[in-house]
Amino acid sequence: MTKNIWAGLIALVLVITCGVLEVVLLGRAYEKMRDECHDVMNYCESETLTVEQYREFRDNWVKLRETSELLLPHIDVYEINLRFAEGQAYIEQGDYDNLMAQLTVIDELLDYVPHLMKPNIKHIV
């Protein structure tokens, strides 16, 4: 009986530790991605953003997305992905106004998704 209690406690500690690491590490990754989004928005606003810069930004998102989809099966991750795809079309057309609209939504979602990871009684009720 004592072995079962210890095994249960160890499993609980491991699950909690993994959850905390997930929130911290993914939260930092999303924060870094959001900072990069602000830089891209500044380039877009001044209409100096290049297709290559946007592709690099999108490639960084793809790396984060793969981790996010593994740990966070949220529809918002998919929505960010769609916004990046639309943004790709706009940068290739040189349509900075519509690209800026997409980047604004991406920025908001990059702020919102990590909020969903944090345990909160409001998310449960």
Side-chain angles (χ1 to χ4, degrees):
M1 185 70 145
T2 305
K3 289 180 185 179
N4 289 340
I5 293 171
W6 280 110
L9 287 174
I10 290 170
L12 180 63
V13 167
L14 285 174
V15 167
I16 291 172
T17 301
C18 288
V20 168
L21 285 174
E22 173 189 342
V23 169
V24 169
L25 295 177
L26 272 179
R28 286 181 186 164
Y30 270 87
E31 185 177 320
K32 181 180 176 189
M33 191 71 193
R34 191 162 185 234
D35 290 343
E36 188 175 347
C37 184
H38 291 161
D39 293 341
V40 169
M41 289 172 80
N42 288 335
Y43 287 125
C44 183
E45 194 170 44
S46 64
E47 297 188 3
T48 59
L49 182 66
T50 65
V51 174
E52 292 77 24
Q53 287 173 312
Y54 187 83
R55 276 201 189 116
E56 181 180 337
F57 177 49
R58 188 174 180 192
D59 289 343
N60 291 340
W61 161 248
V62 170
K63 292 174 192 170
L64 178 57
R65 181 194 74 199
E66 290 171 357
T67 305
S68 295
E69 289 175 338
L70 177 66
L71 300 170
L72 300 171
H74 294 294
I75 192 74
D76 299 309
V77 174
Y78 180 68
E79 179 68 25
I80 296 171
N81 197 50
L82 292 177
R83 299 297 178 153
F84 268 99
E86 286 183 50
Q88 185 72 42
Y90 290 134
I91 188 65
E92 289 174 3
Q93 295 169 2
D95 187 347
Y96 290 102
D97 290 335
N98 280 319
L99 176 58
M100 190 63 172
Q102 296 302 320
L103 289 170
T104 302
V105 175
I106 290 170
D107 179 55
E108 183 66 30
L109 288 169
L110 288 172
D111 183 49
Y112 177 70
V113 170
H115 164 76
L116 295 174
M117 291 185 291
K118 296 176 185 165
N120 188 327
I121 193 70
K122 292 178 185 176
H123 296 158
I124 298 170
V125 178

